[in-house]
């Protein structure tokens, strides 16, 4: 081997040695950096499973026994959760933690008495306006026109307004009463007759022969207070000692499911919801029906979307929701939520929903916010179904079973 070849060999060996040394230094440095970033067991904030409230919530949601009222509910809920996972939806438990105290909703028996007084103090109830006209000494033709105008402005409806004016004119001619107390009594009775006290306003779920679970579908356009009403209705049933499950089938409005969970969490009512926006609402409704059935709940309340592209879309979706629920349970009630302040626009909405899914009862919200109390009369006459519930205020227990006499006394100003 020549000197030149020897020098080349030595140079190659030196390069190889340097490369190996460089690799070893880099590996040691990387390990050293990794160790410096890794906290000790004592320093880890999540070292204990009990330390993470998020993990606790996830565990609660994955085990039905944590919120189920009976032992058999565990297995049933597990099947619901597995189907929910396969269909991109999940069951969110609304039951509070052990440290959180459940709310105690006001009993239904005392609600209408309290709300009647609130209605009496609401702005411009049309009963007071009528009474002011009818107690005049001499009623002219223009006074009777004012009576009819007052009724129309209160959304009583043209036919009902004409009927009431005719009855009041006949009463005035026959009795000739001028005493305010007698006039008030006559007006009160005529208004009660128009509201129709003979209609059965009992919620199906409250009847002795009701199915268990009794299924209620809530319908109505967004903005009427539909989801809020569903939450308040759950409170009403809880106050009467019934177990409730809610289904968040309004998957198009991002906040709807969260809103429903907030209501349910305060009274220990579980909510079946999708884990993604825009999921199939019928799928959520189906899972909610399974959950209510497995939990042997008394009532299932299903909230639905209210903002769709057109009437045909609305009818198709609501019809599908009802059909898939009925694969598990019969639908006992469809409650249409109407905003009383919308007046005759609400009547148009009522007809659309009645055609889409069939309506068994009306819930009137914001009845204390305007002089539109006459919509109680017009919507009943138009649809042939009763007003079953009324909302008078923003409080969680400001929802009551509708009572015709209390309603009329309220709009006349009797406390």
């Amino acid at each position: 081997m020549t000197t030149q070849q020897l020098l080349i060999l030595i140079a190659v060996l030196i390069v190889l040695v340097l490369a190996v040394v460089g690799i070893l230094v880099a590996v040691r440095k990387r390990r050293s950096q990794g160790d410096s970033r890794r906290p000790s067991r004592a320093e880890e904030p999540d070292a204990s499973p009990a330390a993470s409230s998020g993990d606790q919530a996830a565990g609660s949601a994955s085990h039905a026994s944590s919120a189920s009222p009976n032992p058999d509910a565990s297995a049933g809920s597990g099947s619901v959760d597995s189907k929910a996972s396969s269909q991109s939806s999940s069951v969110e438990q609304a039951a509070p933690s052990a440290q959180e105290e459940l709310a105690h909703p006001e009993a239904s028996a005392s609600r209408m008495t309290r709300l009647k007084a609130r209605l009496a103090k609401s702005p411009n109830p049309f009963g007071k306006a009528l009474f002011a006209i009818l107690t005049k000494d001499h009623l002219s033709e223009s006074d009777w026109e004012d009576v009819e105008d007052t009724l129309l402005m209160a959304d009583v409806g043209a036919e009902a307004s004409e009927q009431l004016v005719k009855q009041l004119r006949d009463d005035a001619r026959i009795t000739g009463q001028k005493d305010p107390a007698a006039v008030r009594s006559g007006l009160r009775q005529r208004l009660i007759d128009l509201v129709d006290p003979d209609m059965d306003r009992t919620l199906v779920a409250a009847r002795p022969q009701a199915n268990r679970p009794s299924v209620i579908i809530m319908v109505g356009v967004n903005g009427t207070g539909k989801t809020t009403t569903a939450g308040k209705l759950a409170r009403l049933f809880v106050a009467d000692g019934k177990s409730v499950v809610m289904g968040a089938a309004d998957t198009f409005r991002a906040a709807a499911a969260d809103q429903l969970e907030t209501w349910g969490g305060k009274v220990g009512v579980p909510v079946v919801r999708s884990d993604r926006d825009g999921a199939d609402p019928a799928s959520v409704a189906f899972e909610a029906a399974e959950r209510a059935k497995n939990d042997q709940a008394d009532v299932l309340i299903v909230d639905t979307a209210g903002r769709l592209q057109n009437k045909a879309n609305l009818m198709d979706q609501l019809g599908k929701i009802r059909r898939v629920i009925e694969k598990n349970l019969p639908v006992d009630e469809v409650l249409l939520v109407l905003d009383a302040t919308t007046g005759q626009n609400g009547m148009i909405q009522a007809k659309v929903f009645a055609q889409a899914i069939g309506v068994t009862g009306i819930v009137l919200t914001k009845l204390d916010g305007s002089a539109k109390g006459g919509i109680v009369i017009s919507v009943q006459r138009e649809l042939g179904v009763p007003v079953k519930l009324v909302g008078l205020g923003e409080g969680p227990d400001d929802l009551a079973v509708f009572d015709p006499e209390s309603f009329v006394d309220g709009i006349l100003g009797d406390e």
Side-chain angles (χ1 to χ4, degrees), residues 147-166:
V147 170
E148 188 166 1
D149 289 344
T150 300
L151 293 170
L152 291 171
M153 290 175 63
D155 285 319
V156 172
E159 183 181 347
S161 298
E162 185 178 348
Q163 175 187 335
L164 181 56
V165 169
K166 183 178 184 304

Side-chain angles (χ1 to χ4, degrees), residues 310-353:
N310 54 55
K311 179 180 173 182
N313 191 329
L314 169 69
M315 296 177 70
D316 290 345
Q317 185 186 101
L318 292 179
K320 182 180 178 183
I321 288 173
R322 180 163 192 159
R323 287 194 303 273
V324 299
I325 291 175
E326 289 178 336
K327 291 180 180 179
N328 269 319
L329 299 167
V331 174
D332 299 301
E333 189 107 66
V334 178
L335 295 179
L336 172 63
V337 182
L338 290 178
D339 182 339
T341 63
T342 62
Q344 290 303 310
N345 288 333
M347 292 297 303
I348 298 172
Q349 299 168 12
K351 292 177 184 178
V352 172
F353 281 98

Side-chain angles (χ1 to χ4, degrees), residues 188-260:
R188 177 181 184 275
Q189 189 55 53
R190 290 300 186 188
L191 288 172
I192 289 174
D193 291 344
L194 270 183
V195 176
D196 195 350
D198 295 330
M199 279 186 161
D200 185 2
R201 303 174 192 279
T202 309
L203 292 168
V204 175
R207 297 173 186 171
Q209 71 276 18
N211 292 314
R212 187 169 180 266
S214 183
V215 179
I216 301 173
I217 299 178
M218 308 294 293
V219 300
V221 300
N222 290 344
T224 60
K226 176 173 48 62
T227 301
T228 296
T229 300
K232 290 182 178 181
L233 182 57
R235 289 178 64 94
L236 185 63
F237 282 123
V238 169
D240 291 340
K242 295 186 180 297
S243 59
V244 183
V245 171
M246 290 194 286
D250 182 356
T251 60
F252 294 98
R253 188 166 66 90
D258 294 338
Q259 188 179 353
L260 210 59

Side-chain angles (χ1 to χ4, degrees), residues 139-150:
L139 291 176
S140 64
E141 192 63 32
S142 65
D143 290 329
W144 288 113
E145 290 176 1
D146 288 343
V147 170
E148 188 166 1
D149 289 344
T150 300

Side-chain angles (χ1 to χ4, degrees), residues 47-69:
S48 170
S52 172
S53 61
D55 290 344
Q56 288 177 338
S60 173
S62 63
H63 298 289
S65 59
S66 65
S68 299

Side-chain angles (χ1 to χ4, degrees), residues 35 46 118 125 146 159 185 193 228-229 231 240 242-243 268 282 306 308 316 318 382 386 389 392 394 401 414:
D35 291 339
D46 297 322
R118 177 171 293 179
D146 288 343
E159 183 181 347
S185 176
D193 291 344
T228 296
T229 300
D240 291 340
K242 295 186 180 297
S243 59
L308 297 172
D316 290 345
L318 292 179
E382 190 70 32
L389 297 161
L392 298 168
E394 301 298 327
V401 175
D414 288 345

Side-chain angles (χ1 to χ4, degrees), residues 298-316:
D298 294 313
V299 185
L300 168 64
I301 301 172
V302 179
D303 185 29
T304 62
R307 180 174 298 154
L308 297 172
Q309 291 84 352
N310 54 55
K311 179 180 173 182
N313 191 329
L314 169 69
M315 296 177 70
D316 290 345

